[in-house]
């Protein structure tokens, strides 16, 4: 075909297409919440044409090139009745079909993002806390939420920096493989829940794919079980970023002290014409030297996620986390706490014993390698206008290969380096089936979740523990070095652990929120839990054993059945703005072994009573919670007085009481305040040695902590987007160990951070100083915290 003919044919085809397109019409609209805020990811379809799409982050949707005629626009959102709207499409016209949801809260594949909220750091609504679409003011449980908008402004590059915004979290405890643990109401609490189910990671967790962190307070076994996800103090839920209907993303680079180099990426795109299939990719890589004389970390993470609105009733979400890291262990000091002969009591402090703050006593060739893979899949199906089915499969795998280290105190001035060499693997599988309903009985609204939960845990150990020669940590020889060669030469004399263990948990639970009146609601929940411990299989001997009944007496596999109830009342004094609440909550942990009479142990459990108030006033400009809680742990094991060497009894107890206050405020345009206060009074009440009764348990963290972050960004004018922030954390004196005759003190700390930033639609740039005054502080594992760290960040948006 000649070029001229080809051009003519192309012009004719374009003209024909243009003429044809003029015979079509368009349908567009917006879906909003009851308060007028946009609702993302609502399913909108043209019933007769079987065409579907999702609303974008502004709540908008569009159908182009629709043949003239009469159609039904169907709007489907999980947790509410479908809405059918009749429309007539004419040629060359655009029909606008808007819809405002009729209920206060709904549940969807994508979560509600409250756009335009003047208080940027208040994102309380969540479908995970109660496993129901329940507003914060309607929920009798206390929880804190740290959204990505806050930790982006703070330029946080790790979970520990993010959790500084949670009242009572304290200084994070970093384990040797990057694993992080916080305090909650006096108990260890790890971020091992992900999107509401167990998603353990016994390694570093990069925050690049986090939408927010939810700190759920108090024993939460009724809805979350007794897996490693929860503790008596609560649990940390990692909510990951989900795909959205639109193209966009950002690429960021952070550099700072001690050769910090970090690159992050976040890309989102629809992958089909109807925008019902969405894909998002988050990733990061980080390298940083320790502030101490030796030590480093090098990590990479990739987190793809995919969502698909298969039809107007059925949706799918697939979310994956993969990460691997190489690094050296942080300092973990187990101090000398013995009472010297001739003394009745000894009090020591990490600040006074002369232990060097900037020295690791190890080497850069003593490294570990970790790998983490978490897979999360969720299918939502709208059974009817009142019922939704939710099926979840979560699989988490973490492995550690290499050297894990600790420094064990031997005398007042000497330590013995301890190195665990080898391979460890943790695999957890969680399968849940939930049915979520919202209906009325005799005019009273019921919101209910009923579910079945299967959890399998499998751990592998193939490693050797090596003890190296003692060394004086004050007058250390200049030639001292613990190398990989020296460790390898001692492995033949080390203690071998070559085994695997596994357990299964089968659970059923139901929770109902019953509206007695429009303002008064009651939550009633219960869980039955069947735990089956399969025992420890020793690969070297071929023998399967269980736990210890006393000091060295092995028992076989065992099973325990536990019940966990939960009750709560909420009264909205000022509808949708102020509520009073109270709750009873329960948590438990299974215990192996037998008593001297041969009877098995029961599960250890904790009961919490709590009451307080929540507020959301002045158009979300002031949001806060204040509560008082009382937790009692029972059935704690302690040595049997009649035979303390071989057996234990189960009558120990511990109390944990306190007050927590959380506040986010936006008193002026551009000014945002986040503040928290936590007071915790923990004490042992039935100890193995009665002389320890009434003492605060060691490693329970500071009794009093305070956190705050205040920032201001110009909301308009030539300086729009420029801002500054100042924050701080305080914790008073705490204990590593605290007994009637031996106390090891961790001093109080005051740490302040400050930042400058500029943020607009195209890019974000910031500069921050962490720990402005280079305050010396230690975690409960006596890991020194970094002095002043300077970081800068540049993020490009598209």
């Amino acid at each position: 075909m000649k070029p001229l003919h080809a051009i003519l044919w192309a012009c004719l085809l374009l003209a024909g297409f243009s003429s044809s397109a003029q015979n079509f019409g368009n349908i567009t609209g917006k879906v909003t919440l009851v308060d007028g805020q946009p609702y993302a990811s609502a399913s909108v379809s043209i019933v007769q044409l079987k065409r579907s799409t999702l609303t974008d982050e502004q709540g908008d949707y569009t159908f182009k090139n629709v043949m003239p005629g009469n159609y039904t626009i169907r709007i489907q959102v999980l947790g509410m009745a479908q809405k059918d709207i009749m429309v007539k499409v004419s040629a060359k016209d655009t029909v606008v079909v808007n819809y405002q949801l009729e209920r206060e809260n709904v549940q969807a594949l994508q979560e509600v993002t409250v756009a335009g909220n003047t208080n940027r750091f208040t994102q309380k609504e969540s479908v995970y806390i109660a496993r129901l679409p329940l507003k914060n003011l309607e929920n009798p449980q206390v929880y804190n939420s740290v959204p990505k908008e806050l930790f982006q402004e703070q330029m946080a590059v790790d979970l520990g920096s993010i959790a500084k915004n949670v009242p009572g979290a304290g200084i994070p405890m970093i384990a040797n493989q990057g694993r992080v643990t916080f305090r909650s109401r006096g108990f260890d609490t790890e971020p091992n829940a992900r999107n509401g189910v167990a998603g353990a990671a016994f390694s570093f967790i990069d925050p690049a794919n986090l939408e927010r962190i939810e700190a759920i307070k108090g024993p939460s076994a009724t809805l979350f079980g007794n897996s490693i996800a929860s503790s008596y103090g609560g649990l940390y839920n990692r909510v990951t970023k989900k795909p959205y209907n639109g193209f966009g993303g950002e690429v960021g680079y952070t550099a700072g002290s001690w050769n910090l180099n970090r690159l992050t990426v976040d890309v989102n795109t629809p992958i089909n014409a109807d925008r019902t299939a969405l894909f998002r990719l988050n990733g990061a890589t980080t390298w940083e030297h320790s502030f101490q004389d030796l030590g480093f970390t090098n990590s990479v993470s990739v987190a793809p996620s995919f969502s698909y609105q298969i039809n107007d009733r059925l949706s799918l979400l697939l979310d994956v986390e993969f990460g691997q890291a190489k690094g050296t262990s942080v300092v973990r000091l187990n101090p000398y706490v013995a009472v010297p002969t001739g003394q009745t009591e000894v009090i020591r402090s990490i600040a006074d014993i002369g232990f060097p703050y900037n020295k690791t006593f190890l080497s850069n060739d003593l490294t570990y390698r970790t790998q983490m893979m978490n897979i999360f899949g969720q299918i939502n199906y709208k059974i009817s206008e009142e019922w939704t089915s939710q099926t979840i499969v979560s699989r988490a795998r973490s492995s550690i290969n290499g050297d894990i280290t600790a420094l064990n105190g031997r005398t007042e001035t000497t330590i013995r380096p301890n190195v665990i060499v080898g391979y460890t693997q943790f695999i957890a599988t969680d399968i849940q089936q939930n049915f979520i309903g919202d209906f009325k009985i005799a005019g009273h609204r019921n919101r209910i979740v009923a579910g079945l939960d299967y959890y399998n845990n499998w751990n592998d150990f193939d490693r050797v523990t090596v003890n190296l020669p003692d060394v004086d940590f004050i007058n250390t020889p200049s030639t001292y070095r613990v190398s990989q060669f020296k460790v390898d030469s001692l492995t033949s004399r080390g203690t071998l652990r070559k085994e695997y263990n596994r357990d299964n948990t089968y659970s059923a639970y139901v929770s109902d929120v019953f509206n007695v009146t429009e303002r008064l609601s009651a939550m009633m929940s219960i869980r039955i839990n069947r735990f089956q411990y399969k025992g420890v299989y020793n690969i070297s001997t071929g023998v399967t054993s269980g736990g210890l009944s006393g000091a060295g007496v092995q028992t076989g596999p065992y099973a325990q059945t536990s019940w966990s109830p939960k009750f709560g009342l909420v009264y909205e004094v000022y509808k949708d703005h102020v509520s009073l609440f109270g709750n009873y909550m329960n948590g438990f942990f299974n215990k192996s072994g037998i008593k001297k009479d041969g009877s098995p142990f029961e599960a250890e459990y904790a009961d919490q009573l709590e009451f307080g108030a929540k507020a959301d006033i002045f158009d979300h400009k002031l949001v806060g919670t204040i509560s008082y809680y009382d937790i009692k742990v029972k059935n704690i094991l302690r040595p049997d007085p009649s035979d303390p060497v071989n057996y234990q009894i189960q009558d120990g107890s511990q109390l944990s009481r306190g007050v927590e206050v959380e506040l986010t405020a936006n008193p002026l345009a551009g000014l945002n305040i986040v503040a928290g206060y936590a007071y915790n009074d923990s004490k042992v009440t039935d100890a193995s040695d009665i002389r320890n009764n009434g003492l605060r348990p060691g490693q329970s963290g500071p009794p009093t902590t305070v956190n705050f972050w205040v920032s201001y960004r110009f909301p308009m004018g030539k300086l729009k987007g420029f801002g500054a922030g100042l924050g701080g954390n305080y914790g008073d004196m705490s204990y590593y160990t605290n007994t009637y005759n031996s106390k090891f003190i961790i001093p109080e700390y005051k740490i302040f951070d400050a930042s400058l930033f500029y943020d607009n639609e195209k890019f974000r740039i910031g500069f921050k100083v962490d720990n402005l005054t280079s305050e010396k502080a230690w975690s409960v594992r006596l890991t020194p915290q970094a002095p002043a760290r300077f970081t800068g960040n540049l993020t490009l948006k598209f």
Side-chain angles (χ1 to χ4, degrees):
M1 181 180 293
K2 294 181 180 180
L4 181 58
H5 291 168
I7 293 172
L8 289 173
W9 275 109
C11 291
L12 288 172
L13 288 172
L14 288 173
F17 176 80
S18 176
S19 175
S20 175
Q22 291 178 5
N23 294 324
F24 289 90
N26 302 316
I27 303 174
T28 187
K30 179 186 285 287
V31 178
T32 57
L33 298 168
V34 292
D35 60 0
Q37 300 291 346
Y39 185 81
S41 295
S43 172
V44 184
S45 60
I46 305 176
V47 175
Q48 290 81 359
L49 300 180
K50 296 183 179 180
R51 289 178 60 181
S52 298
T53 190
L54 295 171
T55 56
D56 62 19
E57 288 193 305
Q58 287 71 47
D60 297 325
Y61 71 92
T62 299
F63 293 102
K64 294 183 177 180
N65 300 323
V66 180
M67 285 287 293
N70 296 318
Y71 297 101
T72 302
I73 297 297
R74 176 166 293 169
I75 299 173
Q76 291 265 33
V77 173
L78 299 180
M80 60 159 275
Q82 72 182 32
K83 181 65 177 181
D84 288 346
I85 304 174
M86 305 302 296
V87 300
K88 182 177 181 179
V89 177
S90 302
K92 304 179 184 180
D93 285 341
T94 296
V95 182
V96 178
V97 183
N98 297 327
Y99 180 64
Q100 189 171 35
L101 303 186
E102 298 172 354
R103 286 183 177 171
E104 297 95 339
N105 41 68
V106 294
Q107 178 180 358
L109 178 63
Q110 306 290 345
E111 294 179 86
V112 178
T113 299
V114 182
N117 192 340
T118 53
N119 195 339
R120 299 179 63 249
F121 304 143
T122 298
Q123 294 184 18
K124 276 290 193 180
E125 311 313 328
S126 172
V127 298
Y128 303 112
I129 309 299
R131 296 193 184 278
L132 289 167
L134 198 64
K135 293 189 301 182
N136 175 47
L137 291 176
E138 298 176 301
N139 195 329
Q141 186 166 8
V142 173
Y143 60 95
N144 314 122
S145 182
V146 185
K148 69 176 185 296
E149 288 78 9
L150 178 55
F151 53 79
Q152 281 179 349
E153 183 173 285
Q154 295 175 341
M155 295 170 55
V157 297
D158 56 77
L159 285 182
S161 299
I162 293 172
K164 291 196 305 185
N165 298 288
V166 176
I171 293 176
M173 183 188 78
I174 307 298
N176 297 318
Q177 62 276 17
R179 182 179 175 186
V180 62
T181 303
F182 312 107
R183 310 270 81 68
S184 183
R185 300 188 171 181
F187 302 95
D188 287 355
T189 308
E190 299 185 20
N192 281 337
R194 178 166 166 264
N195 294 327
V197 298
F202 290 90
S203 61
F204 91 104
I205 301 173
D206 197 290
N209 71 323
L210 289 184
E211 185 70 29
R212 66 179 179 272
I213 285 286
E214 296 175 341
I216 306 171
K217 298 303 185 75
S220 302
T222 307
L223 290 180
F224 295 95
N226 69 327
S227 67
I228 53 177
S230 65
S231 77
Y232 296 143
L235 71 150
Y236 278 74
N237 181 40
R238 310 186 323 266
V239 179
T240 59
K241 296 176 181 176
K242 310 298 191 301
Y244 57 89
N245 182 4
F247 175 78
E250 56 185 41
V251 177
Y253 174 69
T254 302
S257 304
W258 312 300
N259 289 325
L260 169 66
N261 283 274
R262 176 174 170 82
L263 181 68
T264 60
V265 61
D266 181 357
V267 180
N268 185 91
T269 182
I271 57 177
N272 66 349
D274 290 332
R275 299 190 170 215
T276 54
L278 311 172
F279 178 76
R280 190 169 187 174
L281 177 66
N282 286 272
T285 181
T286 304
W287 195 95
E288 184 179 19
H289 192 282
S290 170
F291 74 91
Q292 296 176 304
D293 58 349
L294 294 168
F296 70 93
T297 57
N298 186 4
S299 65
V300 61
S301 68
V302 180
S305 56
F306 169 76
S307 68
Y308 183 31
Q309 189 74 35
I310 301 171
N311 56 47
D312 58 0
R313 290 180 176 269
L314 182 64
S315 60
L316 166 71
L317 172 66
L318 180 63
D319 187 290
V320 178
E321 288 178 318
F322 173 81
Q324 60 183 24
K326 179 181 179 180
T328 54
S329 295
V330 298
V331 169
R332 175 187 176 185
L333 176 63
N334 299 314
Y336 181 71
V337 297
V339 179
T341 303
Q343 291 186 238
T344 58
E345 182 184 30
V346 61
I347 300 176
R348 303 178 179 92
S349 171
I350 184 62
D352 300 330
I353 65 173
F355 189 84
Y357 199 82
N358 296 318
K359 191 174 180 60
T360 67
F361 294 94
L362 302 168
S363 301
N364 277 351
D365 62 352
L366 288 175
T367 61
Y368 63 81
R369 292 175 176 82
T370 68
Q371 189 178 94
M372 179 263 289
M373 171 74 85
N374 285 342
I375 300 173
F376 175 90
Q378 177 175 310
I379 296 175
N380 289 334
Y381 180 70
K382 189 176 178 65
I383 300 172
S384 67
E385 294 185 358
E386 297 178 335
W387 286 96
T388 297
S389 168
Q390 181 189 73
T391 305
I392 299 174
V393 178
S394 175
R395 186 161 176 91
R397 174 189 174 273
S398 301
S399 64
I400 308 159
N401 192 16
D403 302 305
I404 302 173
T405 62
L407 305 174
N408 297 326
R410 300 290 292 167
T411 69
E412 298 279 359
T413 60
T414 61
I415 54 173
R416 175 176 293 177
N418 174 277
V419 183
I420 299 175
V421 185
Y423 179 81
T424 307
Q425 178 178 242
F426 305 91
I427 300 176
T429 304
D430 197 345
I431 302 174
Q432 288 185 6
Q433 174 59 53
N434 295 312
F435 295 97
I436 302 167
D438 190 343
F439 53 89
K440 289 186 176 181
I441 298 178
H444 296 277
R445 186 181 181 188
N446 288 262
R447 280 162 288 181
I448 188 169
V449 56
L452 299 172
D453 190 358
Y454 166 74
Y455 181 81
N456 171 265
N457 186 59
W458 183 294
N459 304 327
D460 288 290
F461 301 90
D462 184 5
R463 60 197 200 186
V464 176
T465 300
V466 177
N467 287 309
L468 288 97
D470 295 356
V471 63
D472 189 315
F473 60 73
I474 296 177
N475 301 303
T476 308
S478 60
T479 58
Y480 178 81
R481 184 173 186 268
V482 178
S483 65
Q484 186 69 60
F485 176 79
K486 183 177 292 186
V487 172
D488 291 344
S489 68
L490 296 173
T491 54
S492 62
R493 287 182 278 171
T495 302
L496 176 66
R497 184 180 184 186
K498 197 176 182 69
E499 64 190 31
Y500 65 79
N501 61 68
R502 60 202 189 280
D503 56 73
N504 294 312
T505 303
Y506 305 88
S507 305
Y509 50 87
V510 62
S511 180
D512 182 27
V513 177
F514 177 79
N515 277 86
V516 182
T517 68
E518 186 182 15
R519 295 189 178 189
L520 177 64
S521 63
M523 174 183 283
M524 297 163 285
S525 316
I526 193 165
R527 182 188 194 95
I528 181 172
N529 200 83
R530 179 65 174 175
F531 178 78
Q532 293 181 336
Y533 184 64
K534 298 298 184 179
V536 177
Y537 178 74
N538 189 311
I539 298 173
S540 301
T541 64
V543 175
T544 298
S545 61
L548 298 176
S549 62
V553 179
Q554 291 281 355
T555 66
Y558 71 97
Q560 287 178 349
T561 300
S562 302
W563 293 85
S564 180
K566 175 181 177 181
F567 304 101
L569 286 174
V570 174
Y571 180 71
E572 295 189 58
V573 180
Y574 179 18
K575 179 65 176 172
D576 297 325
H577 294 290
V578 178
S579 65
L580 303 177
F581 68 90
N583 68 58
Y584 162 79
M585 294 169 56
N586 176 270
F588 61 91
F589 284 99
N590 299 99
K591 294 294 179 180
S592 63
I594 58 174
K595 304 173 188 176
K596 189 174 182 179
D597 62 6
S599 61
F601 291 125
E602 300 174 359
E604 178 185 280
Y605 61 92
D607 296 313
Q608 172 184 277
L609 291 175
E610 182 176 21
F611 58 88
K614 298 181 180 183
D616 186 341
I617 55 179
F618 307 130
D619 191 26
H620 307 296
K621 291 183 178 181
L622 180 62
V623 180
T625 302
I626 181 171
S627 68
Y628 169 81
Y629 61 87
D630 186 311
I631 302 172
K632 184 171 184 179
V633 184
K634 302 177 182 178
N635 280 5
I636 298 175
L637 298 179
R638 64 187 183 94
D640 188 332
S642 65
D643 190 353
V645 175
N646 296 308
Y647 292 98
Q648 294 175 300
I649 58 176
Q650 194 175 27
D651 64 354
S653 62
Q654 178 183 332
L655 292 179
S656 179
R657 297 168 175 161
V659 175
E660 289 182 343
V661 182
E662 180 200 29
L663 176 73
T664 61
N666 175 229
L668 301 171
L671 177 63
N672 283 275
I673 301 170
V674 176
Y677 167 84
Y679 171 73
N680 173 257
D681 177 23
S682 289
K683 62 182 65 176
V684 176
T685 50
D686 290 295
S688 301
D689 189 325
I690 61 173
R691 289 174 292 184
N692 292 323
N693 286 341
L695 298 181
R696 183 175 182 83
Q699 303 188 48
S700 56
T704 303
T705 60
V706 178
N707 65 279
F708 74 91
W709 179 259
V710 181
S711 67
Y712 179 79
R713 66 174 62 197
F714 289 93
M716 60 186 66
K718 294 182 178 181
L719 294 178
K720 181 180 179 181
F722 277 102
L726 177 68
N729 290 82
Y730 166 81
D732 59 12
M733 184 194 76
S734 59
Y735 297 98
Y736 175 84
T737 56
N738 184 25
T739 66
Y740 74 95
N741 64 349
S742 177
K743 303 179 188 298
F744 198 95
I745 294 172
I746 304 173
E748 71 172 16
Y749 60 86
K750 303 181 187 72
I751 298 175
F752 298 96
D753 310 324
S755 70
L756 294 171
F757 54 85
Y758 174 67
D759 194 354
N760 67 19
E761 294 180 355
K762 297 297 182 181
F763 67 91
R764 181 172 62 248
I765 188 169
F767 176 77
K768 188 183 181 189
V769 184
D770 292 289
N771 195 359
L772 274 166
T773 61
S774 291
E775 175 90 347
K776 287 187 176 181
W778 293 262
S779 72
V780 295
R781 271 194 173 181
L782 299 179
T783 300
Q785 302 301 293
R789 179 173 77 171
F790 300 85
T791 54
N793 170 266
L794 173 63
T795 298
L796 303 179
K797 307 175 186 180
F798 55 88

